[in-house]
Amino acid sequence: MSSAESSDEPSTVKVATAVPRPVRDGFAIVATVGRERGVRAVLEKGEPLSIFIGRAPECAIRVRDVLVSRRHARLVWTGQTLHVVDLDSANGTVVDGARVTSRRLRGGETLVVGTTLLVVTAIASPQTIASATASA
């Protein structure tokens, strides 16, 4: 086992960089229940990308849980919208209590993979908040 695997410290994976200022600048996905509690990924407005949730070391959100497939689900970020796609996992992906194959995420949802609960939160940059406040 590597030293990264044995650490109890939460980790953050930054998977994109910030750019302009629409109402929703990105999303934070944070593990709140399970062995991976505290692990998070931040997807900021910018280039489209796709990240994986699963047991495999190359997954951006790595969940070390026997109930989670190596590549369990994928988060697809178009730069404007976020979708979760189950990758035919054995135990499924649950969003807000319902098993899904694909679903658009808006923020405020809970995802369950194995015994891990991930909370999806829409985030806005300080510039977006200041801009929205100034125009109100």
Side-chain angles (χ1 to χ4, degrees):
M1 182 176 342
S2 73
S3 62
E5 289 179 354
S6 63
S7 173
D8 289 334
E9 292 297 314
S11 62
T12 298
V13 178
K14 189 169 185 175
V15 292
T17 56
V19 261
R21 46 170 259 236
V23 174
R24 184 170 286 139
D25 287 309
F27 292 89
I29 297 91
V30 181
T32 59
V33 174
R35 181 176 178 191
E36 307 307 324
R37 185 173 178 218
V39 168
R40 65 200 221 180
V42 176
L43 295 97
E44 295 176 302
K45 185 156 178 68
E47 294 296 314
L49 64 112
S50 176
I51 65 170
F52 293 97
I53 300 170
R55 283 192 342 252
E58 65 272 9
C59 291
I61 301 175
R62 188 167 181 210
V63 180
R64 294 169 292 183
D65 178 339
V66 296
L67 297 176
V68 174
S69 300
R70 290 183 54 73
R71 282 196 172 181
H72 193 95
R74 182 175 63 186
L75 292 172
V76 180
W77 173 241
T78 67
Q80 300 292 326
T81 60
L82 179 66
H83 289 82
V84 62
V85 179
D86 183 79
L87 299 175
D88 295 323
S89 62
N91 294 306
T93 300
V94 175
V95 177
D96 291 338
R99 190 169 175 159
V100 300
T101 54
S102 178
R103 175 145 171 222
R104 181 177 178 184
L105 303 173
R106 292 172 168 41
E109 296 89 354
T110 57
L111 291 154
V112 178
V113 293
T115 58
T116 300
L117 183 112
L118 301 160
V119 175
V120 179
T121 305
I123 56 173
S125 70
Q127 295 84 1
T128 301
I129 295 167
S131 177
T133 305
S135 64

